[in-house]
Amino acid sequence: MSYVDNGIRPILEIGCGKGNITRFLEPDICIELDDKMIEYLKNFNLVIADARYLPVLRGQLVSSLPYQITSDFFKEVIKLNNIRKLTLILQKDFVDKIFNDSTYISFLLNYIYNIQIKDIIPPSCFSPRPKVYSIITIFNRIREYDKEVDSILSCISRYRNKTLRKASKLCGFSSNNDLKVREFKPWQVLELLNSVG
């Protein structure tokens, strides 16, 4: 995969399945939850584990994440400062939300990472075929995890329809900004944070 940086090691593939990507990627570690896949992955450095609770704390991750674990996965991986890069195949609607919806996870991801959209992948490229398009998305870490920032964004995001002034007051902060929280795009997260001191 041309989007993977061989200078950031180890390279971890999450959800290796039957090894379709693994054979080309040749990751340092292959993380797979389903032990039925062992026979397909016996030539790789396989670890049976849940991607939401990573057994490795550094390097870069490559994965086609199942939609249902995407948010839980990100909530954990953002805390691992030595995971420097993620190259992920994500459902298009999730990626759209990262850039357009003023949610907790969207704000937090835009704070921690520089996010780049690469190739769009049609359903026909997968088997079984999903109903949605996917996008190769790259997350390069630009900031370390900050528990205080996480707490601020978590609270403020609960009050999307209130002004930042009102939301800040409800969260124990202060702000003079009368824009509604939902009017801040996720990539404007620094502007939002600066507005609450």
Side-chain angles (χ1 to χ4, degrees), residues 38 80 86 109 125 151 159:
I38 290 174
L80 304 176
L86 315 171
L109 289 175
C125 290
S151 178
Y159 305 106

Side-chain angles (χ1 to χ4, degrees), residues 15-34:
C16 301
K18 293 184 178 180
N20 295 329
I21 294 175
T22 315
R23 285 189 289 276
F24 297 100
L25 182 63
E26 296 187 355
D28 298 305
I29 300 172
C30 175
I31 300 170
E32 174 57 55
L33 181 62
D34 187 351

Side-chain angles (χ1 to χ4, degrees), residues 17 30-31 35 41 67 83 117-118 124 138 143-144 161 195:
C30 175
I31 300 170
D35 58 10
L41 304 169
Y67 186 71
I83 301 286
I117 292 174
K118 297 298 182 181
S124 59
I138 296 179
R143 291 185 187 86
E144 299 207 338
N161 293 320
S195 294

Side-chain angles (χ1 to χ4, degrees), residues 80-133:
L80 304 176
N81 291 322
N82 289 320
I83 301 286
R84 305 307 302 173
K85 181 176 181 178
L86 315 171
T87 301
L88 304 175
I89 298 173
L90 299 170
Q91 286 194 3
K92 183 179 182 299
D93 63 335
F94 183 83
V95 176
D96 289 342
K97 288 175 184 175
I98 290 173
F99 285 103
N100 298 304
D101 289 3
S102 305
T103 64
Y104 160 68
I105 196 69
S106 297
F107 281 132
L108 194 56
L109 289 175
N110 278 273
Y111 176 77
I112 298 285
Y113 300 104
N114 172 270
I115 306 169
Q116 302 169 9
I117 292 174
K118 297 298 182 181
D119 299 328
I120 295 176
I121 306 172
S124 59
C125 290
F126 296 93
S127 179
R129 183 181 295 202
K131 295 178 180 177
V132 297
Y133 280 75

Side-chain angles (χ1 to χ4, degrees), residues 13-15 29-35 46-56:
E13 184 187 356
I14 295 174
I29 300 172
C30 175
I31 300 170
E32 174 57 55
L33 181 62
D34 187 351
D35 58 10
L46 176 63
V47 175
I48 300 295
D50 189 326
R52 292 169 293 184
Y53 313 102
L54 287 172
V56 180

Side-chain angles (χ1 to χ4, degrees), residues 7 33 37 62 72 77 79 88 105 162 170 185-186 196:
L33 181 62
M37 299 298 162
V62 179
D72 289 341
V77 80
K79 299 172 186 172
L88 304 175
I105 196 69
K162 296 191 181 299
L170 290 166
K185 292 293 186 185
V196 294

Side-chain angles (χ1 to χ4, degrees), residues 159-171:
Y159 305 106
R160 295 179 68 237
N161 293 320
K162 296 191 181 299
T163 65
L164 190 55
R165 182 194 300 268
K166 181 75 170 175
S168 296
K169 187 174 181 181
L170 290 166
C171 293

